[in-house]
Amino acid sequence: MNDDALEPRELGAYFVLMEAVSLLQHRIEQQLRAEGDISSVQFQLLARLAGAPGEVTMTQLADGVVYSRSGLTYQAGLLEKAGLITRRPSPDDERATLVAVTDAGRDLFRRLLPGHVQVTRLLFDPLTPADVEHLREVMTRVRDHLRAQPPRSAAPRKRRSGDASAAGGAKRTTRAS
Amino acid sequence: MNDDALEPRELGAYFVLMEAVSLLQHRIEQQLRAEGDISSVQFQLLARLAGAPGEVTMTQLADGVVYSRSGLTYQAGLLEKAGLITRRPSPDDERATLVAVTDAGRDLFRRLLPGHVQVTRLLFDPLTPADVEHLREVMTRVRDHLRAQPPRSAAPRKRRSGDASAAGGAKRTTRAS
DNA sequence: TATTGTTATACTCTATAACTATA
DNA sequence: TATAGTTATAGAGTATAACAATA
């Protein structure tokens, strides 16, 4: 049962998890945009910096926020231009860039937090404290498991020959153009 | 404790939930792109159609997949161009468009499913059956709660002319440019 | 008038690759 | 040579608004 098939229960759990989170993300996105005109990604970066003791490097900042280096540079550029963070070369390692929140950044974060928390109420309201605890514990396991896995993106996974046409053939939906 | 502040436990649960799902989504995206050259959104639409009894309208298809009408039209256009779905005006209601999967679409879906399931293993492997059941039950409650809430997006939120600063203030990070 | 869907348009975001500079 | 970060660029995706057609 750990091979290829999902139990119906699992399938259901998977779908409802993704659906709920998707809905939640959407709400969060709207709240942050409406009240602070920033994206949830930018908010996460701000939160991470606001919570950090001192400065962090770009690499440290990126960790956990899944995207590419260039993506982070892009977002950091926006935040810096908005005066919410600062960047400066690290004295220790001249290659590294140290990032820090500005007062304005911290202010914005603090200003947005209550509304953000209010939205996350949508997640917690229907849950008992025990549910929350269990959810936290369970998702921690999942997170750790996911982080432990080889990103796989390393192996570009060559198409399973055979026909390829099946979909690939007819596809070309997006990429690869 | 249902006012403004989050319990530390809740905050932790919230963060780890979003992080884990984000990681999972990323993996799913990669798998679908690598093996079928489609996005997870397109896969969801395909899955929805493959599971449906007959044809569905665009509106029905959109439901649950959160985005805008135009977004759906865009995606449907891609899928149709790729020969994975068909669209035709509804006989009953000339305004409506009926959407259906093609054989190619169903084939692609079936071809991608195993790999997709394999990725979702990353979610289930570290969980006991009881965990899965609890997760499903809990997230169902959350989902229902979220769906019950007024989408708020209903109020198109008139651009706060005046200054736009309200929150923007120091911002202008992204939008509104 | 309200609803269904499409189109035009503008913009955000992300990823890849090339490049610079330091370790 | 490997690592940290930036830049250029290209493309996917999304949202808003205007539009057409039917109910």
Side-chain angles (χ1 to χ4, degrees):
Chain A
M1 66 350 194
N2 197 355
D3 39 355
D4 244 6
L6 274 186
E7 309 284 333
R9 295 270 180 59
E10 290 181 331
L11 198 61
Y14 166 64
F15 281 148
V16 79
L17 170 67
M18 301 308 266
E19 182 183 355
V21 169
S22 172
L23 288 167
L24 186 60
Q25 283 175 333
H26 198 245
R27 295 300 185 92
I28 290 171
E29 208 73 50
Q30 290 191 315
Q31 182 259 329
L32 293 175
R33 186 58 74 187
E35 296 187 19
D37 197 30
I38 63 175
S39 68
S40 65
V41 166
Q42 289 159 0
F43 183 75
Q44 279 178 55
L45 294 177
L46 232 43
R48 191 171 281 240
L49 288 170
E55 293 165 306
V56 302
T57 66
M58 293 289 279
T59 298
Q60 290 168 337
L61 186 57
D63 176 56
V65 191
V66 201
Y67 38 65
S68 56
R69 281 163 186 278
S70 64
L72 179 60
T73 296
Y74 171 74
Q75 293 294 347
L78 292 179
L79 291 174
E80 188 178 44
K81 190 157 36 175
L84 302 172
I85 68 169
T86 59
R87 278 186 292 183
R88 66 169 182 122
S90 167
D92 305 326
D93 185 339
E94 288 281 334
R95 294 172 304 182
T97 295
L98 293 180
V99 187
V101 242
T102 62
D103 289 343
R106 219 179 291 270
D107 285 351
L108 177 61
F109 175 68
R110 279 202 276 251
R111 186 163 66 72
L112 292 179
L113 196 51
H116 183 71
V117 165
Q118 206 55 45
V119 175
T120 66
R121 279 280 152 238
L122 293 169
L123 168 64
F124 296 117
D125 280 349
L127 268 45
T128 68
D131 287 335
V132 173
E133 184 52 27
H134 190 248
L135 181 65
R136 191 187 60 70
E137 194 273 318
V138 155
M139 293 315 289
T140 299
R141 254 184 285 149
V142 173
R143 193 250 342 245
D144 293 345
H145 184 65
L146 276 159
R147 284 215 177 280
Q149 298 301 313
R152 196 221 248 337
S153 49
R157 188 154 292 288
K158 204 57 184 172
R159 183 78 234 77
R160 193 115 81 283
S161 69
D163 56 353
S165 57
K171 274 326 311 326
R172 185 59 40 82
T173 301
T174 49
R175 271 281 179 49
S177 69
Chain B
M1 66 13 176
N2 198 353
D3 38 354
D4 244 5
L6 274 186
E7 308 284 332
R9 297 269 180 59
E10 290 181 330
L11 198 61
Y14 165 64
F15 282 148
V16 79
L17 170 67
M18 300 309 266
E19 182 183 354
V21 169
S22 172
L23 288 168
L24 185 60
Q25 283 175 332
H26 198 244
R27 296 299 185 93
I28 290 172
E29 208 72 50
Q30 290 191 314
Q31 182 260 329
L32 293 175
R33 186 58 74 186
E35 298 189 16
D37 197 30
I38 63 174
S39 68
S40 64
V41 166
Q42 289 158 1
F43 183 74
Q44 279 177 56
L45 294 177
L46 233 42
R48 190 170 281 240
L49 289 169
E55 294 165 305
V56 302
T57 66
M58 292 290 278
T59 299
Q60 290 167 336
L61 186 57
D63 176 56
V65 191
V66 201
Y67 37 66
S68 57
R69 281 163 187 278
S70 64
L72 180 59
T73 296
Y74 171 74
Q75 293 294 348
L78 292 179
L79 291 173
E80 188 178 42
K81 189 157 36 174
L84 302 171
I85 68 169
T86 58
R87 278 185 292 183
R88 65 172 182 120
S90 167
D92 305 326
D93 186 338
E94 287 282 334
R95 294 171 304 182
T97 295
L98 292 180
V99 187
V101 241
T102 62
D103 289 342
R106 219 179 290 270
D107 286 350
L108 176 61
F109 175 68
R110 278 201 276 251
R111 185 164 67 73
L112 292 180
L113 195 52
H116 183 71
V117 165
Q118 207 54 45
V119 174
T120 66
R121 279 279 151 240
L122 293 169
L123 169 64
F124 296 116
D125 280 349
L127 269 44
T128 68
D131 288 335
V132 172
E133 184 52 27
H134 191 247
L135 181 64
R136 191 188 59 71
E137 193 273 317
V138 156
M139 293 314 289
T140 299
R141 252 183 287 149
V142 173
R143 194 248 345 244
D144 293 345
H145 184 64
L146 277 158
R147 284 216 177 279
Q149 297 301 314
R152 193 214 249 343
S153 52
R157 196 147 295 291
K158 204 59 184 168
R159 195 94 205 86
R160 203 111 78 274
S161 65
D163 56 352
S165 56
K171 277 324 313 322
R172 187 58 42 83
T173 301
T174 48
R175 272 279 181 51
S177 69

